[in-house]
Amino acid sequence: MNPVPRILAFDIFGTVVDWHGSIVREVSERHPQIDANAFALAWRAGYQPAMARVRSGELGWTRIDELHRLILDELLLRFGLDHLGEAQRQHLNHIWHRLDAWPDSVAGLTRLKSKHLICTLSNGNIGLLTDMAKRAGLPWDCILSAEVFRAYKPDPRTYLGVAQTFDAAPAEVMLVAAHQDDLAAARACGLMTAYIERPLEFGAGQPKDVSPDPANTLHARDLLHLADQLGC
Amino acid sequence: MNPVPRILAFDIFGTVVDWHGSIVREVSERHPQIDANAFALAWRAGYQPAMARVRSGELGWTRIDELHRLILDELLLRFGLDHLGEAQRQHLNHIWHRLDAWPDSVAGLTRLKSKHLICTLSNGNIGLLTDMAKRAGLPWDCILSAEVFRAYKPDPRTYLGVAQTFDAAPAEVMLVAAHQDDLAAARACGLMTAYIERPLEFGAGQPKDVSPDPANTLHARDLLHLADQLGC
């Protein structure tokens, strides 16, 4: 029997919301001439290199909204959309504020919230996460972000920052994520970890390996299955 | 006709929750030998001087939980409660996490949330505000705190920080508070302001002047009356 976490901290992109499907749906409707699947994957692929520029100190502290925009401006050239004006670029960049939740997310979070403090721990900025939660109905107790800690995951200051924010020991916090590298970094800081299978995170054309890692505290198909396992 | 604020940022202690009544109720039940009204007023009176020690640089960045505890340890001596042990002191200090909302707060916020982004802007720390919201059912879209901005109100970084967090102009944000000095500082930063009458903030023995200041954008009896005025 595992100890019960007091706090559940959730990764967002891919874990709680479907970035790939949401971007593909909106882009293929507005810009039917481009390959929306390739566009979504390329935008997301720019994300880690952009954060690496902040981690290395090449860029000062920069929010994800700004990093998404840097990547987007390059992509628009590559995909032949560089005729888009400033207002259209801003609107498109805010697609990350309008991502749809996976079908189980709202019901799963609502059950988990009944027995745990539930918060975000995302590299997304606070404004992005707030707009997303309001639109999708995600019932967070608190929105925490890399922006609060001025450091991006997998920096230990983010995982330990959640514990410190709530005066908790690291072992009282469980990171919930669909990415083994994020979970491994949290585990190295003493957090419990729950892996969520999201086999379609990158779309149906690029199924993801979702096999269990026994190092995680829990392994769940989705957030409802996590609620089952935590007795919520 | 005033412009409509996109974001409503709420002061908490006294504006949304009844710190005086909550402390008096709990302290008079647990420690009937002391003057709970005087105890509550003395604790709150220690708050501005304690924050001043942080603002002046005498103390490094210190959360309200820690400041409340510094004040409490002195008060326990003064009120003859210095026999309390560490666990009891911690529990008592967390009374600020357990404050009751004013009777109109949950219904008022729920209405206001339907048309506005609603967030806290309190000198209380994030963990305190999260525990309070979860217990009292306060339906925030986002919890912002002096802790996020590493500065206490009335520092301009707090008011302007709300606007920056949501990529808003200061004039798109309205501070809602029961304290004219807080509102005046927000106004100096370009925010709209709404004054909430809380005549019993300091208890029935010390009624507060709640007369209108025409410099405020709005003046409301309570949060339901504010929702009426904003058409929510």
Side-chain angles (χ1 to χ4, degrees), chain A residues 63 113 116 134 141 167, chain B residues 63 113 116 134 141 167:
Chain A
R63 299 186 302 182
K113 184 176 179 170
H116 304 271
K134 196 165 177 70
D141 288 313
D167 284 324
Chain B
R63 299 186 303 183
K113 184 177 179 169
H116 304 271
K134 198 166 175 69
D141 288 312
D167 283 324

Side-chain angles (χ1 to χ4, degrees), chain B residues 82-111:
Chain B
D82 51 312
H83 59 279
L84 294 187
E86 180 56 28
Q88 287 169 299
R89 285 170 191 240
Q90 281 186 23
H91 181 79
L92 182 52
N93 199 49
H94 271 218
I95 201 168
W96 296 90
H97 296 223
R98 296 187 297 271
L99 301 180
D100 296 322
W102 294 109
D104 54 280
S105 291
V106 172
L109 291 174
T110 302
R111 283 172 56 191

Side-chain angles (χ1 to χ4, degrees), chain A residues 1-8 115-116 171-174 192 230:
Chain A
M1 181 72 191
N2 289 306
V4 176
R6 177 157 75 87
I7 296 147
L8 302 177
K115 292 201 182 171
H116 304 271
E172 293 179 273
V173 182
M174 175 178 275
M192 289 192 265
L230 286 169

Side-chain angles (χ1 to χ4, degrees), chain A residues 97-138:
Chain A
H97 296 221
R98 297 187 296 272
L99 300 180
D100 296 322
W102 293 110
D104 53 280
S105 291
V106 172
L109 290 174
T110 302
R111 283 172 56 191
L112 291 162
K113 184 176 179 170
S114 68
K115 292 201 182 171
H116 304 271
L117 191 163
I118 62 168
C119 68
T120 60
L121 180 62
S122 170
N123 286 335
N125 44 294
I126 299 170
L128 180 158
L129 296 168
T130 303
D131 285 347
M132 174 195 285
K134 196 165 177 70
R135 177 180 172 281
L138 304 170

Side-chain angles (χ1 to χ4, degrees), chain B residues 107-119:
Chain B
L109 291 174
T110 302
R111 283 172 56 191
L112 291 162
K113 184 177 179 169
S114 68
K115 292 200 183 171
H116 304 271
L117 191 164
I118 61 168
C119 67

